[in-house]
Amino acid sequence: MREPGGWWRRKSTPEKVETYTRWSFHFFGVVEVLFVALPAVGALGPRLGSLLLAAVAAHAALCMVTVSRALDWTRGRRRQPVWLLWLLGVVSVVIAAGAQAIVQHDPDRSGVGTAAGAVFGVVLILGAGIIALALSRRHVIPLVLAFAAGGGLVSLLVGAPGAAAVLTTLVVLLGAGFVALTALLSVWLLNVVYELDAARETRARLAVAEERLRFARDLHDVMGRNLAVLALKSELAVQLSQRGRPEAVDQMTEVQRLAHEAQREIRELVRGYREADLGAEIVGAQSVLQAAGIACTITGSPAGLPASAQSALGWVVREAATNVLRHGDALHCTVELKVTEGRVVLSVENDGVREERSGGGTGSGLAGLRERLSGIGGTLEAGPAGEGRFRLTAAVPLPREASHAVRGAAS
C-alpha cells in the first residue's frame, strides 16, 4: 500500500513545478465559484442567482480545461487549443454582459448590483488571464487591451454612464494585466526549470563523453606511434628476407620487442583508466556537486590506504556522485570515510530522493560496484536512510599493517 503523498515524491522537480502551476490556475476557478458566484445567489434570489451560479461554474470549468490544454501546449505535448480559447473568450463576454445588465437594471443599486458587478469583473479578468497562458508574448498585450475595451463597451451598451464605463475599463485592464503577467511568468519559470533539468542530464552525459574522448586520445597517442614503427620494421624485414639477408632476423626480433612494449603500454593505459584515485575522486565529486548547487560535506582522509582499496572506493565515489546528480533533487550530500575494525568504510548519503529510487539499489552501476568490491573481499549496501534520504555504504577489508598505518596517519 502506497503511503500518502507518495505520488508527489515520485515526481521530478520539473514535474512538481508543473503540477503546482497547473493547480494554482485551477484554484482561480474554485475562487470564482466560491467567493463570487455563491454570494450572488443570496443577493439575486434563488432563480436569477442559480442561473448566474450555473453560468459562472461553467466558466470556471472551461477555464480549468483551458489551463490544462494551454500548459500542455507550452510543453509541446499538443497543438495550440485555438477553438477553446475563442470559446472561453466568447463565454466570458456573454456572462460579463449578462452580469452588467443586471447591475444597470437593479433599481436600488444595493447588494444585487455589487454581486453582479463582482461577477462581471472577475469573469473578464480571469478569462483574459487564462487565455494568455496559450498565447505568445506579443499577443498578450493586445488581448488585455481588447478585454478592457470590451468591458467598457459592454458597460456602455447596457446603459452605464460614461464615467462608470471608463472605470470598468481601467479595472479590467489592471486586473487582466496582472493575471496575464502572472501567466507569462509562470510559463517562463516552468520552461526554465525543464531546461535546467535537461542541462543537468546533458552535463552528466558530456562528462562521460569527455572521459571516453580522453581515453581514445591517449590510446591513439600510444598505439599510433607503436603501430607505425611496427609497420616500418615489418616492411624492412620482408625486403631483407626477400634478398636473403640475415639482418631480417634482427628486424623481426626488433618487431617482437616493439610488440611486447606496445602491449605493456596499452596495459598501463587501461590500468590507469580503470583504476581511480580515491582522494582525487572525492575532491572531484565535491566540486561537481557544489557546481550543481548541492552542498557536499567531506569527512575522513584516504591517506595511507592501499592502492587496491583506493581504486575500488574511488569508483564507489564516482558512481555515488553520478547517482546524486541524476536521481532525485538533492540539496546536501555527505561523504564519510573511516577506518574501523580492520576495514575502511565509505558512506555517501544524500537527501531529496524520490520514492522510486528509495526502494533499493538494483541498477547496473551498483551491480558493477558490488562485483568490483567482491574481488577484494569488500561489500556494498545501498538503500533508504530515512525520509527522502539515500545512503550508499562500501566496506573494504584492510591488512593489519595497513590498518595500523592508516590509524597512525589519522592521528
Side-chain angles (χ1 to χ4, degrees):
M1 182 177 180
R2 296 188 180 274
E3 58 180 309
W7 68 275
W8 177 260
R9 286 191 292 273
R10 287 192 299 272
K11 292 179 177 290
S12 64
T13 296
E15 290 171 344
K16 290 178 180 178
V17 174
E18 181 177 352
T19 301
Y20 172 79
T21 303
R22 191 181 298 270
W23 284 101
S24 296
F25 281 96
H26 286 339
F27 185 70
F28 285 159
V30 177
V31 171
E32 183 180 14
V33 174
L34 295 181
F35 298 98
V36 178
L38 285 180
V41 175
L44 299 177
R47 185 175 180 180
L48 189 58
S50 298
L51 181 62
L52 193 60
L53 173 62
V56 173
H59 182 267
L62 186 59
C63 285
M64 292 180 181
V65 175
T66 306
V67 166
S68 296
R69 299 294 179 88
L71 290 179
D72 288 341
W73 171 72
T74 60
R75 296 305 310 148
R77 302 188 188 115
R78 64 169 70 238
R79 294 181 179 179
Q80 187 181 24
V82 178
W83 67 270
L84 194 60
L85 301 181
W86 279 105
L87 178 61
L88 178 58
V90 171
V91 170
S92 300
V93 172
V94 170
I95 296 176
Q100 188 70 348
I102 295 174
V103 173
Q104 298 305 319
H105 291 83
D106 174 28
D108 56 2
R109 303 294 190 270
S110 60
V112 174
T114 303
V119 172
F120 170 82
V122 170
V123 165
L124 285 181
I125 289 171
L126 287 185
I130 299 302
I131 293 175
L133 278 173
L135 295 179
S136 58
R137 285 178 293 182
R138 67 177 182 273
H139 293 144
V140 172
I141 294 179
L143 169 73
V144 173
L145 293 176
F147 265 77
L153 180 61
V154 168
S155 299
L156 289 176
L157 291 177
V158 297
V166 173
L167 180 61
T168 298
T169 302
L170 291 177
V171 170
V172 175
L173 178 64
L174 294 177
F178 175 77
V179 178
L181 179 61
T182 302
L184 288 179
L185 292 177
S186 299
V187 171
W188 173 79
L189 177 62
L190 180 61
N191 291 331
V192 167
V193 172
Y194 269 105
E195 290 173 2
L196 289 176
D197 188 69
R200 185 172 65 174
E201 292 290 335
T202 302
R203 180 176 56 190
R205 289 194 296 268
L206 287 176
V208 175
E210 183 179 358
E211 181 63 16
R212 289 175 177 172
L213 288 175
R214 184 195 66 80
F215 179 72
R217 182 175 61 251
D218 293 345
L219 182 62
H220 176 270
D221 293 342
V222 171
M223 293 303 298
R225 173 180 55 83
N226 290 336
L227 290 176
V229 176
L230 285 173
L232 182 61
K233 291 287 186 180
S234 298
E235 292 175 2
L236 180 58
V238 168
Q239 293 178 4
L240 292 175
S241 177
Q242 290 175 347
R243 297 175 185 177
R245 300 286 296 273
E247 292 87 349
V249 177
D250 296 334
Q251 294 298 325
M252 289 306 300
T253 302
E254 182 66 13
V255 168
Q256 184 181 32
R257 186 191 67 79
L258 290 173
H260 286 305
E261 180 69 16
Q263 188 179 31
R264 181 188 63 80
E265 290 183 356
I266 196 63
R267 285 176 177 172
E268 291 180 354
L269 178 63
V270 173
R271 186 181 301 113
Y273 177 74
R274 298 180 63 182
E275 291 184 356
D277 180 73
L278 180 56
E281 292 296 337
I282 290 177
V283 173
Q286 184 180 31
S287 176
V288 170
L289 292 176
Q290 289 179 347
I294 303 173
C296 185
T297 303
I298 308 294
T299 58
S301 172
L305 290 178
S308 59
Q310 290 211 33
S311 177
L313 294 179
W315 278 99
V316 173
V317 173
R318 184 181 299 181
E319 177 69 19
T322 301
N323 288 339
V324 172
L325 285 173
R326 299 187 63 181
H327 304 290
D329 307 295
L331 296 178
H332 189 269
C333 178
T334 301
V335 180
E336 182 181 9
L337 183 67
K338 61 181 179 180
V339 177
T340 175
E341 298 179 357
R343 61 176 187 166
V344 57
V345 179
L346 174 69
S347 176
V348 181
E349 182 175 335
N350 64 279
D351 58 3
V353 179
R354 298 192 290 270
E355 183 174 335
E356 68 268 18
R357 189 190 168 210
S358 64
T362 59
S364 58
L366 297 182
L369 288 180
R370 288 191 176 94
E371 294 178 0
R372 186 183 297 272
L373 291 173
S374 64
I376 58 174
T379 59
L380 180 71
E381 297 179 358
E387 183 69 22
R389 302 190 67 83
F390 189 86
R391 181 186 297 127
L392 187 148
T393 303
V396 175
L398 291 176
R400 180 173 301 178
E401 59 275 10
S403 178
H404 290 319
V406 174
R407 288 179 180 273
S411 61

